[in-house]
Amino acid sequence: MSKITAAITAVGGYLPDFVLSNQILETMVDTNDEWITTRTGIKERRILKGEGKGTSFLAIKAAENLIEKSGVDPKEIDLVIVSTATPDMKAASTAAYTATQIGATNAFSYDLEAACSSFLFGMSTAAAYIESGRYKKVLLIGADKNSSFINYKDRATCIIFGDGGGAVLFEPNEEGLGLQDELLRSNGEGREFLRAQYGGSSYPITSDTFNDGSHYVFQDGKTVFKNAVFNMADVAERILKRNNLTNDDVNWLAAHQANKRIIDATANRINLEQEKVMMNIQKYGNTTSATLPLLLNDYESQLKKGDTIIFAAFGGGFTWGSIYFKWAYNS
Ligand code: UT7
């Protein structure tokens, strides 16, 4: 019997309607379209509005889109993982609510948190369940309502982040397609440079922290930028080398969309032509856990069975990694 690999067999996505353009941001903080475009590549991002609507709203919509497109019966789904850095609540699983709402009533479910690498690490987890033969259908969702913890008076962060959700279905494959290899890393010394500190168990919110806004996301952009450029490019290059791949063998780079300059640097390190680099940061900004599945959703019609995709991500923690993947279907 051939070895079972874990393939992606369907994708879906969801973006909220409200468009926060660079022009609107110009009226909110001291910034301008030219600076944001040249320093990040972002033109606009989407924001989820509406009281009580959190990350599960984005996750449910993305999963429903996948279910509608693929025709998969939600009752056949064994496991729902919601990769997110912005769960609905501190102590109730966002994935459990999401699974129930989409009708995945025979599934168990849980959240997975690794900042901007949440979805990439979730791919590893989902694939391991499939490869082991333990489960047959794993729904992996990456969703974040970043606007819930961004300070819209802080130009260092509010220009970058947006809200969104994406979903993929992992199933067994007997043609050797799907996840081929992974190189995942973390370094906790990075946590001081990108964090939403207050509200966590070490730092409960008090009226003081609330009043000075320290429950919002803080980022030392320059340090994060340097580490992201070095580490994402490094793991992408290493995964190519250890699988004896050259740039000619790679059809696509699907890199976390945090800053166009970081994505370009990763592509340059592995000598990849611009046409092979998936890019949607201009439309959505950094949607944290949703960037990779939203890339797949946007590029799905261009992907061919057998295409080699190199995934790469870097995020708070620090967390980062790269996955070598083979696409399993023509749409
Ligand atoms: O997804 C998780 C991982 N996150 C990332 O990968 C993000 C990594 N970091 C970045 O993408 C970039 O560091 C930023 C986009 C956040 C900032 O870009 P930068 O090129 O590192 O800018 P900087 O902080 O070094 O600032 C350069 C200049 C400064 O002015 P002076 O001191 O040179 O006069 C800033 O005050 O740009 C100024 N500046 C701005 N100007 C207009 C900083 N932010 C802004 C702004 N609009 N929003």
Side-chain angles (χ1 to χ4, degrees):
M1 214 176 84
S2 55
K3 181 177 172 275
I4 294 172
T5 49
I8 290 175
T9 56
V11 304
Y14 175 75
L15 279 315
D17 294 334
F18 183 82
V19 177
L20 179 60
S21 64
N22 290 351
Q23 286 71 25
I24 298 176
L25 280 169
E26 283 178 0
T27 68
M28 296 163 65
V29 286
D30 180 16
T31 192
N32 57 79
D33 175 49
E34 206 255 330
W35 191 95
I36 301 173
T37 307
T38 53
R39 306 302 281 184
T40 71
I42 303 168
K43 295 301 268 183
E44 54 190 46
R45 60 296 286 142
R46 301 300 185 93
I47 304 296
L48 178 61
K49 303 267 187 186
E51 207 172 318
K53 286 184 184 165
T55 291
S56 64
F57 184 89
L58 304 163
I60 291 163
K61 290 277 188 193
E64 286 174 347
N65 179 240
L66 179 150
I67 290 164
E68 191 189 321
K69 277 165 61 183
S70 67
V72 66
D73 178 355
K75 291 196 170 49
E76 289 181 4
I77 296 171
D78 301 301
L79 165 61
V80 177
I81 301 173
V82 173
S83 293
T84 185
T86 54
D88 283 6
M89 301 177 188
K90 285 260 167 282
S93 162
T94 301
Y97 183 71
T98 301
T100 299
Q101 291 299 310
I102 63 170
T105 47
N106 294 313
F108 74 108
S109 55
Y110 56 84
D111 299 347
L112 190 157
E113 201 279 310
C116 291
S117 303
S118 299
F119 186 84
L120 189 85
F121 289 9
M123 289 177 70
S124 167
T125 308
Y129 277 123
I130 297 288
E131 288 159 4
S132 71
R134 189 173 292 199
Y135 300 115
K136 298 275 184 283
K137 283 183 174 31
V138 178
L139 182 66
L140 174 65
I141 303 171
D144 269 301
K145 186 185 172 186
N146 287 317
S147 61
S148 64
F149 66 3
I150 294 295
N151 179 357
Y152 285 93
K153 291 190 175 123
D154 176 14
R155 69 177 185 173
T157 51
C158 74
I159 56 142
I160 301 169
F161 291 98
D163 303 337
V168 303
L169 185 67
F170 273 90
E171 290 187 273
N173 184 283
E174 292 191 1
E175 296 176 282
L177 302 171
L179 195 146
Q180 308 292 310
D181 192 17
E182 64 182 36
L183 195 46
L184 309 179
R185 291 287 179 273
S186 60
N187 178 356
E189 284 172 13
R191 80 172 181 173
E192 66 185 278
F193 304 111
L194 174 52
R195 61 178 196 262
Q197 184 171 345
Y198 284 90
S201 56
S202 297
Y203 305 94
I205 294 178
T206 64
S207 53
D208 284 348
T209 63
F210 179 77
N211 288 334
D212 72 15
S214 47
H215 53 293
Y216 290 124
V217 170
F218 162 83
Q219 173 170 252
D220 170 351
K222 256 192 199 337
T223 304
V224 178
F225 184 90
K226 269 192 233 150
N227 279 276
V229 165
F230 177 80
N231 287 308
M232 229 162 78
D234 179 60
V235 284
E237 187 178 40
R238 280 165 58 195
I239 208 158
L240 253 62
K241 270 202 185 124
R242 81 176 187 192
N243 287 282
N244 299 314
L245 299 171
T246 69
N247 53 344
D248 283 341
D249 300 313
V250 177
N251 300 96
W252 300 99
L253 173 68
H256 174 53
Q257 308 280 292
N259 185 321
K260 182 172 183 299
R261 290 184 291 142
I262 300 174
I263 304 163
D264 289 343
T266 305
N268 285 340
R269 176 80 81 86
I270 57 173
N271 293 318
L272 214 60
E273 304 87 310
Q274 206 58 51
E275 314 82 75
K276 293 181 173 180
V277 181
M278 294 185 189
M279 194 81 74
N280 59 15
I281 191 169
Q282 68 283 3
K283 298 189 286 184
Y284 314 140
N286 181 351
T287 55
T288 304
S289 313
T291 61
L292 298 181
L294 282 174
L295 283 174
L296 295 178
N297 195 47
D298 281 2
Y299 282 82
E300 186 185 23
S301 63
Q302 296 178 57
L303 300 177
K304 307 242 170 343
K305 186 174 175 181
D307 274 2
T308 290
I309 306 175
I310 298 296
F311 289 92
F314 182 90
F318 291 135
T319 55
W320 72 99
S322 183
I323 287 180
Y324 161 33
F325 204 87
K326 281 195 175 292
W327 196 246
Y329 64 95
N330 299 312
S331 58

mmCIF file of all heavy atoms in Angstrom, residues 159-180:
data_model
loop_
_atom_site.group_PDB
_atom_site.id
_atom_site.type_symbol
_atom_site.label_atom_id
_atom_site.label_comp_id
_atom_site.label_asym_id
_atom_site.label_seq_id
_atom_site.Cartn_x
_atom_site.Cartn_y
_atom_site.Cartn_z
ATOM 1 N N ILE A 159 -1.675 50.648 10.592
ATOM 2 C CA ILE A 159 -1.597 50.652 9.113
ATOM 3 C C ILE A 159 -1.400 49.240 8.547
ATOM 4 O O ILE A 159 -1.604 49.009 7.368
ATOM 5 C CB ILE A 159 -0.439 51.548 8.634
ATOM 6 C CG1 ILE A 159 0.884 51.078 9.275
ATOM 7 C CG2 ILE A 159 -0.706 53.014 8.962
ATOM 8 C CD1 ILE A 159 2.035 51.172 8.348
ATOM 9 N N ILE A 160 -0.975 48.315 9.378
ATOM 10 C CA ILE A 160 -0.584 46.993 8.876
ATOM 11 C C ILE A 160 -1.731 45.984 8.906
ATOM 12 O O ILE A 160 -1.943 45.236 7.958
ATOM 13 C CB ILE A 160 0.575 46.405 9.730
ATOM 14 C CG1 ILE A 160 1.769 47.331 9.695
ATOM 15 C CG2 ILE A 160 0.978 45.024 9.228
ATOM 16 C CD1 ILE A 160 2.826 46.939 10.707
ATOM 17 N N PHE A 161 -2.455 45.951 10.044
ATOM 18 C CA PHE A 161 -3.332 44.809 10.289
ATOM 19 C C PHE A 161 -4.746 44.957 9.725
ATOM 20 O O PHE A 161 -5.292 46.062 9.655
ATOM 21 C CB PHE A 161 -3.419 44.541 11.798
ATOM 22 C CG PHE A 161 -2.122 44.020 12.375
ATOM 23 C CD1 PHE A 161 -1.239 44.877 13.014
ATOM 24 C CD2 PHE A 161 -1.780 42.689 12.243
ATOM 25 C CE1 PHE A 161 -0.027 44.409 13.532
ATOM 26 C CE2 PHE A 161 -0.582 42.205 12.757
ATOM 27 C CZ PHE A 161 0.293 43.074 13.408
ATOM 28 N N GLY A 162 -5.345 43.806 9.375
ATOM 29 C CA GLY A 162 -6.724 43.767 8.906
ATOM 30 C C GLY A 162 -7.391 42.496 9.425
ATOM 31 O O GLY A 162 -6.758 41.670 10.086
ATOM 32 N N ASP A 163 -8.663 42.345 9.127
ATOM 33 C CA ASP A 163 -9.449 41.184 9.575
ATOM 34 C C ASP A 163 -9.753 40.271 8.381
ATOM 35 O O ASP A 163 -9.959 40.751 7.262
ATOM 36 C CB ASP A 163 -10.783 41.635 10.176
ATOM 37 C CG ASP A 163 -10.612 42.607 11.345
ATOM 38 O OD1 ASP A 163 -9.530 42.603 11.961
ATOM 39 O OD2 ASP A 163 -11.569 43.364 11.630
ATOM 40 N N GLY A 164 -9.851 38.968 8.645
ATOM 41 C CA GLY A 164 -10.220 38.041 7.568
ATOM 42 C C GLY A 164 -10.181 36.604 8.043
ATOM 43 O O GLY A 164 -9.730 36.309 9.159
ATOM 44 N N GLY A 165 -10.690 35.723 7.199
ATOM 45 C CA GLY A 165 -10.669 34.292 7.528
ATOM 46 C C GLY A 165 -10.501 33.448 6.266
ATOM 47 O O GLY A 165 -10.971 33.827 5.185
ATOM 48 N N GLY A 166 -9.811 32.327 6.424
ATOM 49 C CA GLY A 166 -9.644 31.392 5.312
ATOM 50 C C GLY A 166 -9.728 29.977 5.856
ATOM 51 O O GLY A 166 -9.468 29.746 7.043
ATOM 52 N N ALA A 167 -10.113 29.030 5.003
ATOM 53 C CA ALA A 167 -10.274 27.643 5.475
ATOM 54 C C ALA A 167 -9.767 26.677 4.412
ATOM 55 O O ALA A 167 -9.868 26.952 3.208
ATOM 56 C CB ALA A 167 -11.754 27.369 5.746
ATOM 57 N N VAL A 168 -9.186 25.562 4.877
ATOM 58 C CA VAL A 168 -8.789 24.491 3.958
ATOM 59 C C VAL A 168 -9.231 23.154 4.553
ATOM 60 O O VAL A 168 -9.319 23.007 5.774
ATOM 61 C CB VAL A 168 -7.260 24.454 3.687
ATOM 62 C CG1 VAL A 168 -6.751 25.772 3.137
ATOM 63 C CG2 VAL A 168 -6.472 24.058 4.916
ATOM 64 N N LEU A 169 -9.489 22.196 3.667
ATOM 65 C CA LEU A 169 -9.827 20.844 4.113
ATOM 66 C C LEU A 169 -8.654 19.924 3.812
ATOM 67 O O LEU A 169 -8.164 19.891 2.675
ATOM 68 C CB LEU A 169 -11.082 20.358 3.376
ATOM 69 C CG LEU A 169 -11.628 19.011 3.834
ATOM 70 C CD1 LEU A 169 -12.184 19.091 5.259
ATOM 71 C CD2 LEU A 169 -12.722 18.514 2.876
ATOM 72 N N PHE A 170 -8.185 19.201 4.834
ATOM 73 C CA PHE A 170 -7.130 18.201 4.645
ATOM 74 C C PHE A 170 -7.759 16.814 4.554
ATOM 75 O O PHE A 170 -8.589 16.443 5.399
ATOM 76 C CB PHE A 170 -6.159 18.214 5.834
ATOM 77 C CG PHE A 170 -5.039 19.208 5.679
ATOM 78 C CD1 PHE A 170 -5.182 20.507 6.144
ATOM 79 C CD2 PHE A 170 -3.838 18.853 5.081
ATOM 80 C CE1 PHE A 170 -4.153 21.432 6.012
ATOM 81 C CE2 PHE A 170 -2.801 19.764 4.941
ATOM 82 C CZ PHE A 170 -2.953 21.055 5.408
ATOM 83 N N GLU A 171 -7.331 16.052 3.535
ATOM 84 C CA GLU A 171 -7.805 14.667 3.387
ATOM 85 C C GLU A 171 -6.634 13.773 2.966
ATOM 86 O O GLU A 171 -5.636 14.260 2.431
ATOM 87 C CB GLU A 171 -8.903 14.603 2.320
ATOM 88 C CG GLU A 171 -10.209 15.250 2.753
ATOM 89 C CD GLU A 171 -11.326 15.012 1.743
ATOM 90 O OE1 GLU A 171 -11.440 15.815 0.802
ATOM 91 O OE2 GLU A 171 -12.061 14.020 1.900
ATOM 92 N N PRO A 172 -6.765 12.452 3.168
ATOM 93 C CA PRO A 172 -5.690 11.537 2.759
ATOM 94 C C PRO A 172 -5.521 11.515 1.241
ATOM 95 O O PRO A 172 -6.493 11.662 0.505
ATOM 96 C CB PRO A 172 -6.191 10.163 3.237
ATOM 97 C CG PRO A 172 -7.332 10.417 4.137
ATOM 98 C CD PRO A 172 -7.898 11.743 3.798
ATOM 99 N N ASN A 173 -4.261 11.326 0.819
ATOM 100 C CA ASN A 173 -3.965 11.247 -0.607
ATOM 101 C C ASN A 173 -3.033 10.058 -0.840
ATOM 102 O O ASN A 173 -2.105 9.854 -0.058
ATOM 103 C CB ASN A 173 -3.310 12.555 -1.065
ATOM 104 C CG ASN A 173 -3.063 12.581 -2.560
ATOM 105 O OD1 ASN A 173 -2.130 11.967 -3.057
ATOM 106 N ND2 ASN A 173 -3.928 13.285 -3.264
ATOM 107 N N GLU A 174 -3.288 9.305 -1.903
ATOM 108 C CA GLU A 174 -2.438 8.132 -2.161
ATOM 109 C C GLU A 174 -1.543 8.326 -3.368
ATOM 110 O O GLU A 174 -0.880 7.407 -3.839
ATOM 111 C CB GLU A 174 -3.303 6.881 -2.307
ATOM 112 C CG GLU A 174 -3.943 6.514 -0.979
ATOM 113 C CD GLU A 174 -4.604 5.148 -0.972
ATOM 114 O OE1 GLU A 174 -4.557 4.448 -2.000
ATOM 115 O OE2 GLU A 174 -5.175 4.792 0.080
ATOM 116 N N GLU A 175 -1.509 9.575 -3.905
ATOM 117 C CA GLU A 175 -0.634 9.870 -5.047
ATOM 118 C C GLU A 175 0.629 10.621 -4.611
ATOM 119 O O GLU A 175 1.354 11.164 -5.447
ATOM 120 C CB GLU A 175 -1.380 10.718 -6.077
ATOM 121 C CG GLU A 175 -2.573 10.038 -6.708
ATOM 122 C CD GLU A 175 -3.308 10.986 -7.656
ATOM 123 O OE1 GLU A 175 -4.064 11.843 -7.153
ATOM 124 O OE2 GLU A 175 -3.108 10.898 -8.869
ATOM 125 N N GLY A 176 0.815 10.728 -3.311
ATOM 126 C CA GLY A 176 2.028 11.413 -2.817
ATOM 127 C C GLY A 176 1.900 12.927 -2.806
ATOM 128 O O GLY A 176 2.894 13.641 -2.634
ATOM 129 N N LEU A 177 0.674 13.443 -2.977
ATOM 130 C CA LEU A 177 0.489 14.904 -2.994
ATOM 131 C C LEU A 177 0.179 15.414 -1.584
ATOM 132 O O LEU A 177 -0.178 14.650 -0.701
ATOM 133 C CB LEU A 177 -0.637 15.266 -3.962
ATOM 134 C CG LEU A 177 -0.397 14.789 -5.399
ATOM 135 C CD1 LEU A 177 -1.635 14.977 -6.255
ATOM 136 C CD2 LEU A 177 0.802 15.522 -6.013
ATOM 137 N N GLY A 178 0.324 16.736 -1.406
ATOM 138 C CA GLY A 178 0.078 17.336 -0.092
ATOM 139 C C GLY A 178 1.378 17.702 0.602
ATOM 140 O O GLY A 178 2.369 18.025 -0.058
ATOM 141 N N LEU A 179 1.378 17.623 1.919
ATOM 142 C CA LEU A 179 2.557 18.060 2.683
ATOM 143 C C LEU A 179 3.733 17.091 2.487
ATOM 144 O O LEU A 179 3.591 15.885 2.688
ATOM 145 C CB LEU A 179 2.197 18.168 4.172
ATOM 146 C CG LEU A 179 3.204 18.950 5.018
ATOM 147 C CD1 LEU A 179 2.502 19.715 6.133
ATOM 148 C CD2 LEU A 179 4.280 18.063 5.627
ATOM 149 N N GLN A 180 4.874 17.652 2.085
ATOM 150 C CA GLN A 180 6.072 16.838 1.817
ATOM 151 C C GLN A 180 7.111 16.955 2.933
ATOM 152 O O GLN A 180 7.748 15.982 3.297
ATOM 153 C CB GLN A 180 6.727 17.303 0.499
ATOM 154 C CG GLN A 180 5.784 17.373 -0.688
ATOM 155 C CD GLN A 180 5.294 15.996 -1.134
ATOM 156 O OE1 GLN A 180 6.101 15.094 -1.317
ATOM 157 N NE2 GLN A 180 3.982 15.843 -1.282
#
